[in-house]
Amino acid sequence: MMIMTAKVNLKKIALILGAIAAVIVGLILLLGGRGEAKTTSAAVSNNDARVKFLTDLGWEVTTSPAESSQVRIPENATEVFDRYNQLQKSQGYDLTQYAGKSVMRYVYKINNFPGATEPVYATLLVYKNQIIGGDVTNTAAGGKVQGFKMPAANSPTTPTTPAATGPAA
């Protein structure tokens, strides 16, 4: 019969385990921060929170949504969806994970879009009280759909108010 013995140094084992734990924590912190950050992470369980999300970005909006409806994110991507989702990805959002799901769409009129001559609207896509995407749409001829970030004014003048449409409220 053969008997083996080993002398264990508990201090060395504790140091080695501590070093391994420090390396793992460092990797988690380093690799965990590599994802794209969202423009603004916000719980938006009510209208005031949605309006605050937009005003925090510098937009002055009409506080009641011009439209609210439930929409379904397409299950199968199309060229149009892919282009729109590229805009979302540029803002740190990605709609592909919501494919086939119904989300709420809230549309707010923007009152301080720089140089606007026609109405401009902000659209928020909300799923389970979280903003998952959206855009700002300039309805003028040649107007563009863009991300939430306010554009720089084209001239040194202050932002203008879009022209009113329909009867005055």
Side-chain angles (χ1 to χ4, degrees), residues 62 109-111 116-121 139 160-169:
T62 303
K109 184 177 180 196
I110 292 177
N111 300 315
T117 57
E118 296 295 326
V120 178
Y121 297 96
T139 64
T160 59
T161 302
T165 58

Side-chain angles (χ1 to χ4, degrees), residues 73-129:
I73 305 296
E75 285 190 51
N76 300 314
T78 63
E79 184 179 332
V80 172
F81 174 81
D82 287 340
R83 278 196 320 259
Y84 188 71
N85 201 39
Q86 279 304 109
L87 171 65
Q88 301 313 307
K89 288 179 179 180
S90 74
Q91 303 185 98
Y93 301 106
D94 185 355
L95 297 177
T96 56
Q97 61 190 316
Y98 302 98
K101 296 193 182 328
S102 293
V103 304
M104 284 302 296
R105 176 178 172 260
Y106 298 95
V107 180
Y108 293 87
K109 184 177 180 196
I110 292 177
N111 300 315
N112 67 329
F113 192 90
T117 57
E118 296 295 326
V120 178
Y121 297 96
T123 298
L124 301 178
L125 299 175
V126 178
Y127 182 73
K128 293 187 177 180
N129 295 327

Side-chain angles (χ1 to χ4, degrees), residues 50-71:
R50 292 187 298 271
V51 169
K52 183 176 181 339
F53 172 84
L54 293 167
T55 57
D56 285 351
L57 293 169
W59 298 115
E60 293 173 10
V61 298
T62 303
T63 58
S64 295
E67 180 184 333
S68 64
S69 60
Q70 198 170 52
V71 297

